[in-house]
Amino acid sequence: MQEVAKLGYTPHPIRGELQTVVAAIGDERTHHTLESLTALPQVERVLPVQKRYKLVSRESRGSQTMVNVDGIEIGGDNFVVMAGPCSVESEEQLLSTAHAVKARGATILRGGAYKPRTSPYEFQGLGKEGLRLLELAKRATGLKVITEVLSERDVSIVAESADILQIGARNAQNFQLLIECARSKKPILLKRGMSQRIEEWLLAAEYLLTQGNPNVMLCERGIRTFETYTRNTLDLSAVAVAKQESHLPVIVDPSQGCGRSDLVKVLCRGAAAVGADGLLIEVHPNPAEALSDGQQQIGFDLFGELVTELKPFLTAANRRLV
Ligand code: PEP
Ligand code: MN
């Protein structure tokens, strides 16, 4: 009791025959964490009653958050398709893809200018030139643009060209980067880390919201498992949990999610059925020649087929394509 009070909480004991439960009332944001009490011999367990993610949690808001991306409302009944190449490679590649995905139902163009590659010898992205090409594609098509920010250093320059800042799986818990991105006030798409628990993912989103930026979307992109038939295991149950636990829109990236172009279409249906608010799909004019992730990118025809065949699933899920 005294120890609880010392940490600044009000103790309320509930005495049982063998054990005493001490309810500690107070706000974790302004007091010390109670977990340290487990170090005391008389303490068996410390159990948080409230969710650790306060602003992200569904209870903190009466309604679903709608993220407004320069006029496109994401969330609620709306379903958004973001599509484009894994990497921006050239003007021709990006512009042809932008026109193709727009004609087939996408409203947001994806494309990495700064690429987080596993090997330093692989294509690292066009950098500033890639951003210029994204702006060009945006002007030519009217599509909004999402692109990844790799480092704190690049936040302001990427924010000038992009409508949505993408935080990649490898940076999902780079908290300084998260804070800088949030401060830009741009809408943010936060990928789930490849071995991140759902709670950790939601806590990473909490970092963004604590900076006063409510325009956050969560993105499930597959996690590392023992499976080898797919590059990652797309965790659709995490989408359902994230929708239950939080008020933020949840986007599914089936491309990184499975790493196989032949599975992208069916996983999109699964995403729609489980309650996702949108998709992030890799599309390339010629996947065989892609400078990154060729095995999982789909061509224009397959993308068109995918969107057409997705529509009945969206209707069944009470969603409309925006
Ligand atoms: C990507 O979208 O191309 C990408 C690198 O994603 P992730 O961070 O999910 O691996
Ligand atoms: Mn990729």
Side-chain angles (χ1 to χ4, degrees):
M1 295 264 285
Q2 278 169 358
E3 298 296 335
V4 169
K6 251 198 247 168
L7 293 178
Y9 296 79
T10 312
H12 291 275
I14 305 153
R15 292 186 206 283
E17 295 223 340
L18 298 171
Q19 279 180 319
T20 299
V21 177
V22 181
I25 313 293
D27 192 334
E28 207 190 20
R29 281 172 293 186
T30 47
H31 297 103
H32 289 280
T33 166
L34 286 163
E35 254 118 50
S36 55
L37 294 179
T38 9
L40 298 171
Q42 67 272 36
V43 175
E44 190 184 314
R45 256 179 303 166
V46 176
L47 294 173
V49 177
Q50 280 193 339
K51 298 281 162 60
R52 293 170 74 200
Y53 38 87
K54 319 258 180 221
L55 302 174
V56 161
S57 78
R58 197 164 241 279
E59 299 89 71
S60 75
R61 266 182 75 111
S63 57
Q64 285 277 301
T65 284
M66 304 285 290
V67 173
N68 185 322
V69 177
D70 196 17
I72 299 178
E73 295 272 353
I74 304 177
D77 296 338
N78 295 348
F79 191 93
V80 70
V81 175
M82 313 183 193
C86 175
S87 304
V88 177
E89 298 172 6
S90 68
E91 181 170 331
E92 204 204 325
Q93 173 241 20
L94 188 67
L95 268 93
S96 63
T97 311
H99 286 293
V101 296
K102 181 178 177 173
R104 291 163 178 77
T107 42
I108 299 180
L109 175 68
R110 67 149 285 152
Y114 296 89
K115 294 303 299 177
R117 303 308 302 280
T118 301
S119 161
Y121 304 116
E122 289 165 347
F123 177 60
Q124 304 287 309
L126 296 180
K128 286 184 189 157
E129 170 64 4
L131 296 178
R132 188 186 72 78
L133 294 176
L134 285 165
E135 282 184 47
L136 196 68
K138 180 177 160 159
R139 277 199 301 277
T141 59
L143 291 168
K144 310 301 171 201
V145 160
I146 174 167
T147 195
E148 180 166 352
V149 188
L150 266 192
S151 116
E152 283 161 73
R153 208 179 45 209
D154 306 325
V155 173
S156 56
I157 155 167
V158 175
E160 276 173 34
S161 311
D163 298 293
I164 306 173
L165 303 181
Q166 174 176 328
I167 298 176
R170 292 156 190 81
N171 271 315
Q173 286 182 303
N174 180 344
F175 301 121
Q176 291 313 314
L177 174 65
L178 266 57
I179 290 169
E180 278 306 310
C181 286
R183 287 187 178 155
S184 76
K185 300 291 175 214
K186 283 276 172 179
I188 294 172
L189 178 131
L190 175 65
K191 297 262 194 135
R192 180 182 179 191
M194 24 189 131
S195 53
Q196 202 175 24
R197 292 203 172 118
I198 298 171
E199 187 186 34
E200 293 168 328
W201 182 30
L202 298 178
L203 282 167
E206 187 79 9
Y207 268 91
L208 301 171
L209 296 198
T210 56
Q211 295 303 312
N213 187 342
N215 304 309
V216 174
M217 291 167 270
L218 298 164
C219 179
E220 162 60 34
R221 47 78 72 204
I223 50 172
R224 276 268 162 93
T225 67
F226 47 80
E227 187 49 70
T228 55
Y229 276 40
T230 46
R231 176 182 179 187
N232 292 300
T233 297
L234 185 68
D235 185 2
L236 289 181
S237 59
V239 176
V241 174
K243 290 292 295 177
Q244 243 174 46
E245 287 292 310
S246 93
H247 52 83
L248 300 172
V250 182
I251 307 296
V252 168
D253 174 349
S255 307
Q256 329 299 322
C258 69
R260 289 174 51 161
S261 56
D262 61 335
L263 297 182
V264 169
K265 186 166 82 175
V266 289
L267 292 175
C268 289
R269 297 173 184 175
V274 84
D277 298 292
L279 297 164
L280 180 68
I281 306 170
E282 288 187 345
V283 179
H284 193 284
N286 185 357
E289 284 178 7
L291 296 181
S292 60
D293 286 350
Q295 74 291 351
Q296 69 197 30
Q297 304 209 53
I298 58 174
F300 301 161
D301 291 346
L302 183 51
F303 177 70
E305 202 179 292
L306 181 160
V307 177
T308 305
E309 292 180 18
L310 184 66
K311 286 180 182 159
F313 289 82
L314 293 178
T315 308
N318 283 323
R319 297 305 186 91
R320 63 192 173 93
L321 204 56
V322 289

